[in-house]
Amino acid sequence: MSLSSLLVSPPAGLLHPAPVDPARHTMSRERLLRYLEIKVHHLIQEQDWDSIRVVGGYNRTRGISRHEKSGKLFNTERPTAQAYGRNLLVQAFPGADYVQHYALIIATYLAMTGRPADTVTYQPPGEEECRTALDTLDLDLHGDVVIVGWGLEHLAPRSGVWTQGPGYCWQDAQVGDARVVYLGFRHSIWGDVAGRTVARLARLGAGAVVYVGKVGGLNPGTEPNRWLATGNTSLLGGALVSWEDFFGDYARAQPGVRSGLHVSSPSILLENQDWLAQHASYAFVDPEIGPMGAAAQRAGIPFGYLHVISNNLASLYPADLSNERHGDVLHQRAILVDRIASILTARLTGGAPLTGATP
């Protein structure tokens, strides 16, 4: 089906995202709007459309948003948009969670700025479309430890050379007795995309996968950008999933690291006060850890995460997801990335056995 036909002939399964109520969200109205303004494509912010449809697709030939991040190697690309008359087709990297998340972003932004949100629909991508979107990821792995995620340019050797792939970059290094592959994506691996990434890496021969990123704190006493998070269990789709932890007990025993139960959420927009009350016994939230851990468990390889606690849903702190690019936030996170690098190096050079035990 052509892109234009997706607008002319609506496919089966088309959904309307319900804008969230800013008064009930865990972010204040001002901060939520600021977060949305960072994410929403400039064509949507600058003009009105008769319809906006979000679908799965990875197209970097046209319609690139002016709000994409710059000055970074990874996670710089955002959904693209193409106009067909008064209709706008938005393409997000194929993943059910990501397509829904971006549709919620657009609908909520429109509602908060006094514009009709019922113009927004989304088409969840099919399983085959999601799976084949990662077929271009092709690495020659032989039991290597693959480190995926955020801050990689500070974790990988400064003298290393990044090899370019379609939508990703990688380099390898010898750390102790382990060959380590640092893998970063230019597009988002949000939610279920991250799980499929781990499954793909396992098929390619990865011996373990480590995810470095950012996670939301659910304990009101946890100040953002001061702590690291780790664990081996996540609530995913209403059920707890655990995996063989790459770090074993090593990471959680380090100063400045907190461990606990994680909950997987497909979209920040869904994390309102009711959601928070239902998950008050959990420690952390993000979209990727649960799907990645579940994929690793199915593949029979260890998985571990070591994340910066970037925001707190249960308490109001100066730092949150709406001001991540401020200088003081970047400075604090740079300190934590150095700490992550130290823990990873110690783990790989004898801080714990390579195959961690699940508590």
Coordinates of all heavy atoms in Angstrom, one line a residue, residues 205-285:
G205 N 24.4 -13.7 17.5 CA 25.5 -14.3 18.3 C 26.0 -13.6 19.6 O 27.0 -13.9 20.1
A206 N 25.2 -12.6 20.0 CA 25.6 -11.9 21.3 C 25.5 -12.9 22.4 O 24.6 -13.7 22.5 CB 24.6 -10.8 21.5
G207 N 26.5 -12.7 23.3 CA 26.6 -13.6 24.5 C 25.9 -12.9 25.7 O 25.4 -13.6 26.6
A208 N 25.7 -11.6 25.7 CA 25.0 -10.9 26.7 C 24.7 -9.5 26.2 O 25.4 -9.0 25.3 CB 25.8 -10.8 28.0
V209 N 23.7 -8.9 26.7 CA 23.3 -7.5 26.3 C 23.2 -6.6 27.5 O 22.6 -7.1 28.5 CB 22.0 -7.5 25.5 CG1 21.6 -6.0 25.2 CG2 22.1 -8.2 24.2
V210 N 23.8 -5.5 27.5 CA 23.7 -4.5 28.6 C 23.1 -3.2 28.0 O 23.4 -2.8 26.9 CB 25.1 -4.2 29.2 CG1 25.0 -3.0 30.2 CG2 25.7 -5.4 29.8
Y211 N 22.1 -2.7 28.7 CA 21.4 -1.5 28.3 C 21.7 -0.4 29.2 O 21.5 -0.5 30.5 CB 19.9 -1.8 28.3 CG 19.0 -0.6 27.8 CD1 19.4 0.3 26.8 CD2 17.8 -0.4 28.4 CE1 18.6 1.3 26.4 CE2 16.9 0.6 28.0 CZ 17.4 1.5 27.0 OH 16.6 2.5 26.6
V212 N 22.2 0.7 28.7 CA 22.5 1.9 29.5 C 21.6 3.0 29.0 O 21.5 3.3 27.8 CB 24.0 2.4 29.3 CG1 24.3 3.7 30.0 CG2 24.9 1.3 29.8
G213 N 20.9 3.6 29.9 CA 19.9 4.6 29.5 C 19.4 5.5 30.7 O 20.2 5.7 31.7
K214 N 18.2 5.9 30.6 CA 17.6 6.8 31.6 C 16.2 6.2 32.0 O 15.5 5.6 31.2 CB 17.3 8.2 31.0 CG 18.6 8.9 30.6 CD 18.4 10.2 29.9 CE 17.8 9.9 28.5 NZ 17.6 11.2 27.8
V215 N 16.0 6.3 33.3 CA 14.8 5.7 33.9 C 14.1 6.6 34.8 O 14.8 7.5 35.4 CB 15.2 4.3 34.6 CG1 15.9 4.6 35.9 CG2 14.0 3.5 34.9
G216 N 12.8 6.6 34.9 CA 12.0 7.4 35.9 C 12.0 6.8 37.2 O 11.8 5.6 37.4
G217 N 12.1 7.6 38.3 CA 12.1 7.1 39.6 C 10.6 7.1 40.2 O 9.9 8.1 39.9
L218 N 10.2 6.2 40.9 CA 8.9 6.1 41.5 C 8.9 6.3 43.0 O 7.9 6.3 43.7 CB 8.2 4.8 41.2 CG 8.0 4.6 39.7 CD1 7.3 3.2 39.4 CD2 7.2 5.7 39.0
N219 N 10.1 6.3 43.6 CA 10.3 6.6 45.0 C 10.4 8.1 45.2 O 11.3 8.7 44.7 CB 11.5 5.8 45.6 CG 11.7 6.0 47.1 OD1 11.5 7.1 47.6 ND2 12.1 4.9 47.7
P220 N 9.5 8.7 46.0 CA 9.6 10.2 46.1 C 10.9 10.7 46.7 O 11.2 11.9 46.4 CB 8.4 10.5 47.1 CG 8.1 9.2 47.8 CD 8.4 8.1 46.8
G221 N 11.7 10.0 47.3 CA 12.9 10.5 47.9 C 14.1 10.4 47.0 O 15.2 10.7 47.4
T222 N 13.9 9.9 45.8 CA 15.1 9.7 44.8 C 15.2 11.0 43.9 O 14.4 11.2 43.0 CB 14.9 8.5 44.0 OG1 14.7 7.3 44.8 CG2 16.1 8.2 43.1
E223 N 16.2 11.8 44.2 CA 16.4 13.0 43.4 C 17.0 12.6 42.0 O 17.9 11.8 41.9 CB 17.4 13.9 44.1 CG 17.6 15.2 43.4 CD 18.6 16.2 44.1 OE1 19.0 15.8 45.3 OE2 18.9 17.2 43.6
P224 N 16.5 13.2 41.0 CA 16.9 12.9 39.6 C 18.4 13.3 39.4 O 18.9 14.3 40.0 CB 16.0 13.8 38.7 CG 14.8 14.0 39.5 CD 15.3 14.1 40.9
N225 N 19.0 12.5 38.6 CA 20.4 12.8 38.1 C 21.4 12.7 39.2 O 22.5 13.3 39.2 CB 20.5 14.1 37.4 CG 19.5 14.2 36.2 OD1 19.5 13.3 35.4 ND2 18.7 15.3 36.2
R226 N 21.1 12.0 40.3 CA 22.0 11.8 41.4 C 22.3 10.3 41.7 O 23.3 10.0 42.4 CB 21.5 12.4 42.7 CG 21.2 13.9 42.6 CD 22.4 14.7 42.6 NE 22.1 16.1 42.6 CZ 23.1 17.1 42.6 NH1 24.3 16.7 42.5 NH2 22.7 18.3 42.6
W227 N 21.5 9.4 41.1 CA 21.5 8.0 41.4 C 21.5 7.2 40.1 O 21.0 7.6 39.0 CB 20.3 7.6 42.2 CG 20.3 8.2 43.6 CD1 19.7 9.4 43.9 CD2 20.8 7.7 44.8 NE1 19.9 9.6 45.2 CE2 20.5 8.6 45.8 CE3 21.5 6.5 45.1 CZ2 20.9 8.4 47.1 CZ3 21.9 6.3 46.4 CH2 21.6 7.2 47.4
L228 N 22.1 6.0 40.2 CA 21.9 5.0 39.1 C 20.9 3.9 39.6 O 20.7 3.7 40.7 CB 23.3 4.3 38.8 CG 24.4 5.3 38.3 CD1 25.7 4.5 38.2 CD2 24.0 5.9 37.0
A229 N 20.3 3.3 38.6 CA 19.3 2.2 38.8 C 19.7 0.9 38.2 O 20.2 0.9 37.1 CB 17.9 2.7 38.3
T230 N 19.4 -0.2 38.8 CA 19.6 -1.5 38.3 C 18.6 -2.5 38.9 O 17.9 -2.2 39.8 CB 21.1 -2.0 38.5 OG1 21.3 -3.1 37.6 CG2 21.3 -2.4 39.9
G231 N 18.5 -3.7 38.3 CA 17.6 -4.7 38.8 C 17.5 -5.8 37.8 O 18.2 -5.9 36.8
N232 N 16.6 -6.8 38.1 CA 16.5 -8.0 37.2 C 15.1 -8.4 37.0 O 14.8 -9.5 36.6 CB 17.3 -9.2 37.8 CG 16.6 -9.9 38.9 OD1 16.2 -9.2 39.8 ND2 16.6 -11.2 38.9
T233 N 14.1 -7.6 37.4 CA 12.7 -7.9 37.3 C 11.9 -6.7 36.9 O 12.1 -5.6 37.3 CB 12.1 -8.5 38.6 OG1 12.9 -9.6 39.0 CG2 10.7 -8.9 38.5
S234 N 10.9 -7.0 35.9 CA 10.0 -5.9 35.5 C 8.6 -6.4 35.4 O 8.4 -7.6 35.1 CB 10.5 -5.4 34.1 OG 9.7 -4.4 33.6
L235 N 7.7 -5.5 35.6 CA 6.3 -5.8 35.4 C 6.0 -5.4 33.9 O 6.1 -4.3 33.5 CB 5.4 -4.9 36.3 CG 3.9 -5.1 36.1 CD1 3.5 -6.5 36.6 CD2 3.1 -4.0 36.9
L236 N 5.7 -6.4 33.1 CA 5.5 -6.3 31.7 C 4.2 -6.9 31.3 O 3.9 -8.1 31.4 CB 6.6 -6.9 30.9 CG 6.6 -6.9 29.4 CD1 6.7 -5.5 28.9 CD2 7.7 -7.7 28.8
G237 N 3.2 -6.0 30.8 CA 1.9 -6.5 30.4 C 1.2 -7.2 31.5 O 0.4 -8.2 31.3
G238 N 1.3 -6.7 32.7 CA 0.6 -7.2 33.8 C 1.2 -8.4 34.5 O 0.7 -8.9 35.5
A239 N 2.4 -8.9 34.1 CA 3.0 -10.0 34.7 C 4.5 -9.7 34.9 O 5.1 -9.0 34.2 CB 2.9 -11.3 33.8
L240 N 5.0 -10.3 36.0 CA 6.5 -10.1 36.3 C 7.3 -10.9 35.5 O 7.0 -12.1 35.3 CB 6.7 -10.3 37.8 CG 6.2 -9.3 38.8 CD1 6.4 -9.8 40.2 CD2 6.8 -8.0 38.6
V241 N 8.4 -10.4 34.9 CA 9.3 -11.1 34.1 C 10.7 -10.9 34.7 O 11.1 -9.8 35.1 CB 9.3 -10.7 32.6 CG1 9.6 -9.3 32.4 CG2 10.3 -11.6 31.8
S242 N 11.5 -12.0 34.9 CA 12.9 -11.8 35.4 C 13.8 -12.5 34.5 O 13.5 -13.3 33.6 CB 13.0 -12.5 36.8 OG 12.2 -11.9 37.8
W243 N 15.1 -12.1 34.5 CA 16.1 -12.5 33.6 C 17.4 -12.8 34.4 O 17.6 -12.3 35.5 CB 16.3 -11.5 32.5 CG 16.6 -10.1 33.0 CD1 17.8 -9.6 33.4 CD2 15.6 -9.1 33.3 NE1 17.6 -8.3 33.8 CE2 16.3 -8.0 33.8 CE3 14.2 -9.0 33.1 CZ2 15.7 -6.8 34.1 CZ3 13.6 -7.8 33.4 CH2 14.3 -6.7 33.9
E244 N 18.3 -13.5 33.7 CA 19.6 -13.7 34.3 C 20.4 -12.4 34.2 O 20.6 -11.8 33.1 CB 20.4 -14.8 33.5 CG 21.7 -15.1 34.0 CD 22.5 -16.1 33.2 OE1 21.9 -16.6 32.2 OE2 23.6 -16.4 33.6
D245 N 20.7 -11.8 35.4 CA 21.3 -10.5 35.4 C 22.7 -10.5 35.1 O 23.5 -11.2 35.8 CB 21.0 -9.9 36.8 CG 21.4 -8.5 36.9 OD1 21.8 -7.9 35.9 OD2 21.1 -7.9 38.0
F246 N 23.1 -9.8 34.1 CA 24.5 -9.7 33.7 C 25.4 -9.2 34.8 O 26.5 -9.6 35.0 CB 24.6 -8.7 32.5 CG 26.1 -8.3 32.1 CD1 26.8 -9.2 31.3 CD2 26.6 -7.2 32.6 CE1 28.1 -8.9 31.0 CE2 28.0 -6.8 32.3 CZ 28.7 -7.7 31.5
F247 N 24.9 -8.3 35.7 CA 25.7 -7.7 36.8 C 25.6 -8.6 38.0 O 26.5 -8.4 38.9 CB 25.1 -6.3 37.1 CG 25.4 -5.3 36.0 CD1 24.4 -4.9 35.2 CD2 26.7 -4.8 35.8 CE1 24.6 -3.9 34.2 CE2 26.9 -3.8 34.9 CZ 25.8 -3.4 34.0
G248 N 24.7 -9.6 38.1 CA 24.6 -10.3 39.3 C 24.3 -9.4 40.5 O 23.5 -8.5 40.4
D249 N 25.0 -9.5 41.6 CA 24.9 -8.6 42.7 C 25.9 -7.5 42.7 O 25.9 -6.6 43.6 CB 25.1 -9.4 44.0 CG 24.0 -10.4 44.3 OD1 22.8 -10.1 43.9 OD2 24.2 -11.4 44.9
Y250 N 26.7 -7.4 41.6 CA 27.9 -6.5 41.6 C 27.4 -5.0 41.6 O 27.8 -4.2 42.4 CB 28.8 -6.8 40.5 CG 30.0 -5.9 40.5 CD1 31.0 -6.1 41.4 CD2 30.1 -4.9 39.5 CE1 32.1 -5.2 41.5 CE2 31.2 -4.1 39.5 CZ 32.2 -4.2 40.5 OH 33.3 -3.4 40.5
A251 N 26.6 -4.7 40.6 CA 26.2 -3.3 40.4 C 25.4 -2.8 41.6 O 25.6 -1.7 42.1 CB 25.4 -3.1 39.1
R252 N 24.5 -3.6 42.1 CA 23.6 -3.1 43.2 C 24.4 -2.9 44.5 O 23.9 -2.2 45.4 CB 22.4 -4.0 43.4 CG 22.8 -5.4 44.0 CD 21.6 -6.3 43.9 NE 21.3 -6.7 42.5 CZ 20.2 -7.4 42.1 NH1 19.3 -7.7 43.0 NH2 20.0 -7.7 40.9
A253 N 25.6 -3.5 44.6 CA 26.4 -3.3 45.8 C 27.2 -2.1 45.7 O 27.9 -1.7 46.7 CB 27.2 -4.5 46.0
Q254 N 27.3 -1.4 44.6 CA 28.1 -0.2 44.4 C 27.5 1.1 45.0 O 26.3 1.2 45.0 CB 28.4 0.0 43.0 CG 29.1 -1.2 42.3 CD 30.3 -1.7 43.0 OE1 31.2 -0.9 43.3 NE2 30.3 -2.9 43.3
P255 N 28.3 2.0 45.6 CA 27.8 3.2 46.1 C 27.0 4.0 45.0 O 27.5 4.0 43.8 CB 29.0 4.0 46.6 CG 30.1 2.9 46.7 CD 29.8 1.9 45.7
G256 N 25.9 4.7 45.3 CA 25.2 5.5 44.4 C 24.3 4.7 43.4 O 23.8 5.3 42.5
V257 N 24.1 3.4 43.7 CA 23.3 2.6 42.8 C 22.1 2.1 43.6 O 22.3 1.5 44.7 CB 24.0 1.4 42.2 CG1 23.1 0.5 41.4 CG2 25.2 1.9 41.4
R258 N 20.9 2.3 43.1 CA 19.7 1.7 43.7 C 19.1 0.6 42.9 O 19.1 0.7 41.6 CB 18.7 2.8 43.9 CG 19.1 3.9 44.9 CD 18.0 4.8 45.4 NE 18.5 5.7 46.5 CZ 17.7 6.6 47.1 NH1 16.4 6.7 46.7 NH2 18.2 7.3 48.1
S259 N 18.6 -0.4 43.5 CA 18.0 -1.5 42.8 C 16.6 -1.7 43.3 O 16.2 -1.3 44.4 CB 18.8 -2.8 43.1 OG 18.8 -3.2 44.4
G260 N 15.7 -2.3 42.4 CA 14.3 -2.5 42.8 C 13.5 -3.0 41.7 O 14.1 -3.3 40.6
L261 N 12.2 -3.2 41.9 CA 11.3 -3.6 40.8 C 11.1 -2.5 39.8 O 10.8 -1.4 40.2 CB 10.0 -4.1 41.5 CG 10.1 -5.4 42.3 CD1 8.7 -5.7 43.0 CD2 10.5 -6.6 41.5
H262 N 11.1 -2.9 38.6 CA 10.8 -2.0 37.5 C 9.5 -2.3 36.9 O 9.0 -3.4 36.9 CB 11.9 -2.3 36.4 CG 11.7 -1.5 35.1 ND1 11.0 -2.0 34.1 CD2 12.2 -0.3 34.7 CE1 11.0 -1.1 33.1 NE2 11.7 -0.1 33.5
V263 N 8.8 -1.3 36.3 CA 7.6 -1.4 35.6 C 7.8 -0.9 34.2 O 8.3 0.2 34.0 CB 6.4 -0.8 36.4 CG1 6.6 0.7 36.6 CG2 5.1 -1.0 35.6
S264 N 7.3 -1.6 33.2 CA 7.4 -1.2 31.8 C 6.1 -0.4 31.4 O 5.0 -0.9 31.7 CB 7.6 -2.4 30.9 OG 8.8 -3.1 31.2
S265 N 6.3 0.7 30.9 CA 5.2 1.6 30.4 C 5.3 1.9 29.0 O 6.4 2.4 28.6 CB 5.1 2.8 31.3 OG 4.1 3.8 30.7
P266 N 4.3 1.7 28.1 CA 4.5 2.0 26.7 C 4.6 3.5 26.3 O 5.1 3.8 25.2 CB 3.3 1.4 26.0 CG 2.2 1.4 27.1 CD 3.0 1.1 28.4
S267 N 4.2 4.4 27.2 CA 4.2 5.8 26.9 C 4.3 6.6 28.2 O 3.5 6.3 29.2 CB 3.0 6.2 26.1 OG 3.0 7.6 25.9
I268 N 5.1 7.6 28.2 CA 5.1 8.6 29.3 C 3.8 9.2 29.5 O 3.4 9.6 30.6 CB 6.2 9.6 29.0 CG1 7.6 9.0 29.1 CG2 6.2 10.8 30.0 CD1 8.7 9.8 28.4
L269 N 3.1 9.4 28.4 CA 1.8 10.1 28.4 C 0.7 9.3 29.3 O -0.2 9.9 29.8 CB 1.2 10.3 27.0 CG 1.8 11.5 26.2 CD1 1.4 12.8 26.9 CD2 3.3 11.5 26.0
L270 N 0.9 8.0 29.4 CA 0.0 7.2 30.2 C 0.2 7.2 31.7 O -0.5 6.7 32.4 CB 0.0 5.8 29.6 CG -0.4 5.6 28.2 CD1 -0.2 4.1 27.8 CD2 -1.8 6.1 27.9
E271 N 1.3 7.8 32.1 CA 1.8 7.8 33.5 C 1.2 8.9 34.3 O 1.8 9.9 34.6 CB 3.3 7.8 33.5 CG 3.9 6.5 32.9 CD 5.4 6.7 32.5 OE1 6.0 7.7 33.0 OE2 5.9 5.8 31.8
N272 N -0.1 8.8 34.5 CA -0.8 9.8 35.3 C -0.9 9.5 36.8 O -0.3 8.5 37.2 CB -2.2 10.1 34.7 CG -3.1 8.9 34.8 OD1 -2.8 7.9 35.5 ND2 -4.2 8.8 33.9
Q273 N -1.6 10.3 37.6 CA -1.6 10.0 39.0 C -2.3 8.7 39.4 O -1.9 8.0 40.3 CB -2.4 11.2 39.7 CG -1.7 12.5 39.6 CD -0.4 12.6 40.3 OE1 -0.1 11.8 41.2 NE2 0.5 13.5 39.9
D274 N -3.3 8.3 38.6 CA -3.9 7.0 38.8 C -2.9 5.8 38.6 O -2.8 4.9 39.3 CB -5.1 6.8 38.0 CG -6.2 7.8 38.3 OD1 -6.3 8.2 39.5 OD2 -7.0 8.2 37.4
W275 N -2.2 6.0 37.5 CA -1.1 5.0 37.1 C -0.1 4.9 38.2 O 0.3 3.8 38.7 CB -0.5 5.4 35.8 CG 0.6 4.4 35.3 CD1 0.4 3.4 34.5 CD2 2.0 4.4 35.7 NE1 1.6 2.7 34.3 CE2 2.6 3.3 35.1 CE3 2.7 5.2 36.6 CZ2 3.9 3.0 35.2 CZ3 4.1 4.9 36.8 CH2 4.7 3.8 36.1
L276 N 0.3 6.1 38.7 CA 1.3 6.1 39.8 C 0.8 5.4 41.1 O 1.6 4.7 41.7 CB 1.7 7.6 40.1 CG 2.8 7.8 41.2 CD1 4.1 7.2 40.8 CD2 2.9 9.3 41.4
A277 N -0.4 5.7 41.4 CA -1.0 5.0 42.6 C -1.0 3.5 42.5 O -0.7 2.8 43.5 CB -2.4 5.6 42.9
Q278 N -1.2 3.0 41.3 CA -1.3 1.6 41.1 C 0.1 0.9 41.1 O 0.2 -0.3 41.3 CB -1.9 1.3 39.7 CG -3.4 1.7 39.6 CD -3.9 1.6 38.2 OE1 -3.2 1.2 37.3 NE2 -5.2 2.1 38.0
H279 N 1.2 1.7 40.9 CA 2.5 1.2 40.8 C 3.4 1.8 41.9 O 4.6 1.9 41.7 CB 3.1 1.5 39.4 CG 2.3 0.8 38.3 ND1 1.3 1.5 37.7 CD2 2.4 -0.4 37.8 CE1 0.8 0.7 36.8 NE2 1.4 -0.5 36.8
A280 N 2.8 2.2 43.0 CA 3.6 2.8 44.1 C 4.6 1.9 44.7 O 5.6 2.4 45.3 CB 2.6 3.3 45.2
S281 N 4.5 0.6 44.6 CA 5.4 -0.4 45.2 C 6.6 -0.6 44.3 O 7.5 -1.3 44.7 CB 4.7 -1.7 45.5 OG 4.2 -2.3 44.3
Y282 N 6.6 0.0 43.1 CA 7.8 -0.2 42.2 C 8.8 0.9 42.3 O 8.5 2.0 42.9 CB 7.2 -0.3 40.8 CG 6.5 -1.6 40.5 CD1 5.1 -1.7 40.9 CD2 7.1 -2.7 40.0 CE1 4.4 -2.9 40.7 CE2 6.3 -3.9 39.8 CZ 5.0 -4.0 40.2 OH 4.3 -5.1 40.0
A283 N 10.0 0.7 41.8 CA 11.0 1.6 42.0 C 11.3 2.5 40.8 O 11.6 3.7 40.9 CB 12.3 0.9 42.4
F284 N 11.2 1.9 39.6 CA 11.6 2.6 38.4 C 10.6 2.3 37.2 O 9.8 1.3 37.3 CB 12.9 2.1 37.9 CG 14.0 1.9 38.9 CD1 14.6 0.6 39.2 CD2 14.4 2.9 39.8 CE1 15.5 0.4 40.2 CE2 15.3 2.8 40.7 CZ 15.9 1.5 41.0
V285 N 10.6 3.2 36.2 CA 9.7 3.0 35.1 C 10.5 3.4 33.8 O 11.2 4.4 33.8 CB 8.4 3.7 35.2 CG1 8.6 5.2 35.4 CG2 7.5 3.5 34.0

